[in-house]
Amino acid sequence: MATLIVAGLSARIMAEAASQDGWDVVALDAFGDTDTRRCAAAWHAIGQPDGMGVSPERTRRALAQFAADADVIGWVAGSGFEGLSRWLADTPLPLIGTPPAALQRLRDPLCWFTALQDLALPCPDSRLQPPAQPRGWLCKSLHACGGSHVRPASEQDTPAPGRYWQRWHPGQAMSTLFLAHAAGTVCLGHNLQDSRPGQLGEAPCPWLYQGAIGPVSLPTSVDHALRHAIQALTHHFGLRGLCSLDFVLDGESIRLLEVNARPTATWPLYAEAGPLMSAHVAASLAQPLPALQTPPTPSGLTTLFTSRPLQITSAVHDALLQRPWVHDIPEPGTRLTAHMPLCTLSAQGSHPAEVRARLSARRDTLQRHLATLPSTGPFHVSPAPRA
C-alpha cells in the first residue's frame, strides 16, 4: 500500500482512518498524542511554539523530507490550515482534497457570501464591514476553526483578512458530513454540534466547539434543502473529498454558516460508514469510489479540558490509555496550560439521548478517577453535547 501523509493541528482522526484503510501513514501535527503515534509509521511536530496553530515552515520542511519518495502519493490537510489557503498552492507534495484555488475562494468572505446569494442559499445576515450598532451581531473569521474566533461584535472591531460580521440567529448548531466528487455528492449524515461558552488558553470563547453527536434524523424538508445546498456548493466551488457543511437549524429553517473542505472532527462518528480516507483520496483523484453508507445508530464525542497548568504523569497517561473510549491521549511528560484540551471521550447508543447519557457517565467516571491520582489537580470536563 502507498504512503499517505496527514497533517493538521491534530492528525489523530486522519491517521487512524488512513491506517484502518490500509495506508502507510506519516502524521504531522502539533501534539504527537499516543494514539496518533501508534497508528503512524512516523510522526513530525509542526506546531507553532504556543501550540495554538500549525507552522507553515515546519510543515513544508516535513513534507520536503518525503518529496522524493515514490511511495508517497500526497498529503491531506486537516484543521489549522484555514488561513493558509494561498500557501497550500505551493507545497513539496500534492495536496489531496479540494484544490487550493477553490479553498482560497471558500475562505474569502466576499466569494463565500456572493456564492450563497447567487445560489439563493439561506444564511444569516452577513457583511464585510462592522455594523453601526454591534448589538445582536457576531464577529467571525473564515481563517480560523473550532469556533474559537466567534465572539460578540463590538465597536472596536475593524476589518481584517477573513473577517466578517454576522447577525446572531437562534437555533441548534449542526453540521452535515458529505463526500464531494466530480459526478456529485454523497450525504453521509447530519450531526448535532456542541458549541457553547468555554475558554481556550487565555482567550474566552463564547461559541467554542466541544463535541458532536451523529448521525441524527432531520425533517424530510430540511434534509432535502441540505442536499440541494451541498450539490450546489460542490459544483460552484469544485469541492473534492470529504467535507462538512455547518449550519443553524431553527425549527425547519436552516441558515448556512460555512463549509469545511477538509477532514473534520465528526469523521469518527462515521467509522462504520466505510473506508473514509480511501473515499477521500478516490474522490480527490477521480478514482472509483468505495461504497459508503450512513451508520444505523449515532455516536458522540466530547472534550475534556484542564482547569490549570498540568504535566501528564505516567499515572494519568495510563488511566487514559486503559479506556478505549478515551482518545487524543497526551504523551507522558506533556505540559498543558490551563483551559487546554486534555483528551476526547466517545460513546455510542441507539439514539442521541442515550449517547449523551453515556458521554456524561464516562465523563464523571474519568473525572472521579483522575481526582484520585497524585499531582493531577482539578479538571473541568465539558458536559455532553445538548440536542
Side-chain angles (χ1 to χ4, degrees), residues 196-259:
R196 55 188 168 77
Q199 188 166 336
L200 195 59
E202 299 296 325
C205 304
W207 287 275
L208 183 65
Y209 171 84
Q210 300 190 38
I213 292 178
V216 297
S217 298
L218 294 180
T220 300
S221 62
V222 175
D223 180 75
H224 287 172
L226 289 167
R227 290 173 185 268
H228 166 72
I230 288 168
Q231 288 276 11
L233 291 168
T234 294
H235 178 74
H236 182 87
F237 285 102
L239 305 179
R240 292 294 181 270
L242 281 158
C243 306
S244 179
L245 171 66
D246 290 352
F247 62 97
V248 173
L249 177 66
D250 183 16
E252 294 195 14
S253 172
I254 61 171
R255 295 291 186 275
L256 307 188
L257 300 179
E258 66 176 321
V259 166

Side-chain angles (χ1 to χ4, degrees), residues 3-8 11-12 14-16 18-19 23-46 62-63 65-66 69 72:
T3 299
L4 188 65
I5 299 177
V6 295
R12 190 267 306 175
M14 296 185 293
E16 286 185 343
S19 178
W23 299 91
D24 290 330
V25 183
V26 174
L28 317 177
D29 75 4
F31 302 110
D33 291 330
T34 294
D35 33 359
T36 303
R37 297 178 189 237
R38 285 190 170 186
C39 61
W43 171 79
H44 295 264
I46 61 168
L63 293 175
Q65 295 184 40
F66 299 92
D69 190 335
V72 177

Side-chain angles (χ1 to χ4, degrees), residues 82 101 112 127 145 147 152 158 207 241 246 251 270 324:
E82 288 78 11
W112 169 244
R127 58 181 61 186
C145 63
T158 57
W207 287 275
D246 290 352
Y270 294 84

Side-chain angles (χ1 to χ4, degrees), residues 336-362:
L336 300 175
T337 60
H339 308 296
M340 294 296 288
L342 171 63
C343 61
T344 304
L345 313 183
S346 66
Q348 297 75 40
S350 58
H351 50 80
E354 185 175 54
V355 175
R356 287 193 296 273
R358 289 180 177 176
L359 284 172
S360 179
R362 289 177 175 180

Side-chain angles (χ1 to χ4, degrees), residues 41-120:
W43 171 79
H44 295 264
I46 61 168
Q48 297 281 12
D50 62 1
M52 300 297 286
V54 298
S55 164
E57 295 77 14
R58 298 182 78 179
T59 304
R60 182 180 294 278
R61 288 198 297 268
L63 293 175
Q65 295 184 40
F66 299 92
D69 190 335
D71 291 332
V72 177
I73 68 167
W75 72 292
V76 180
S79 64
F81 294 96
E82 288 78 11
L84 301 171
S85 54
R86 293 186 181 277
W87 176 87
L88 292 173
D90 182 26
T91 59
L93 286 167
L95 178 68
I96 297 175
T98 297
L103 291 173
Q104 290 179 29
R105 297 169 56 219
L106 200 61
R107 290 293 169 181
D108 182 325
L110 179 60
C111 291
W112 169 244
F113 291 115
T114 299
L116 293 181
Q117 183 177 20
D118 292 345
L119 297 171

Side-chain angles (χ1 to χ4, degrees), residues 75-202:
W75 72 292
V76 180
S79 64
F81 294 96
E82 288 78 11
L84 301 171
S85 54
R86 293 186 181 277
W87 176 87
L88 292 173
D90 182 26
T91 59
L93 286 167
L95 178 68
I96 297 175
T98 297
L103 291 173
Q104 290 179 29
R105 297 169 56 219
L106 200 61
R107 290 293 169 181
D108 182 325
L110 179 60
C111 291
W112 169 244
F113 291 115
T114 299
L116 293 181
Q117 183 177 20
D118 292 345
L119 297 171
L121 297 176
C123 74
D125 186 11
S126 306
R127 58 181 61 186
L128 305 184
Q129 296 294 324
Q133 299 295 331
R135 183 178 179 84
W137 287 80
L138 305 176
C139 185
K140 298 184 174 184
S141 173
L142 284 176
H143 290 180
C145 63
S148 59
H149 57 97
V150 182
R151 55 182 174 76
S154 73
E155 294 180 351
Q156 286 70 47
D157 293 334
T158 57
R163 181 174 292 174
Y164 62 98
W165 288 261
Q166 193 166 70
R167 192 180 296 278
W168 177 83
H169 196 283
Q172 167 68 49
M174 301 196 68
S175 69
T176 297
L177 185 67
F178 65 97
L179 179 70
H181 55 97
T185 61
V186 178
C187 179
L188 290 173
H190 312 299
N191 315 297
L192 299 167
Q193 301 274 34
D194 179 24
S195 299
R196 55 188 168 77
Q199 188 166 336
L200 195 59
E202 299 296 325

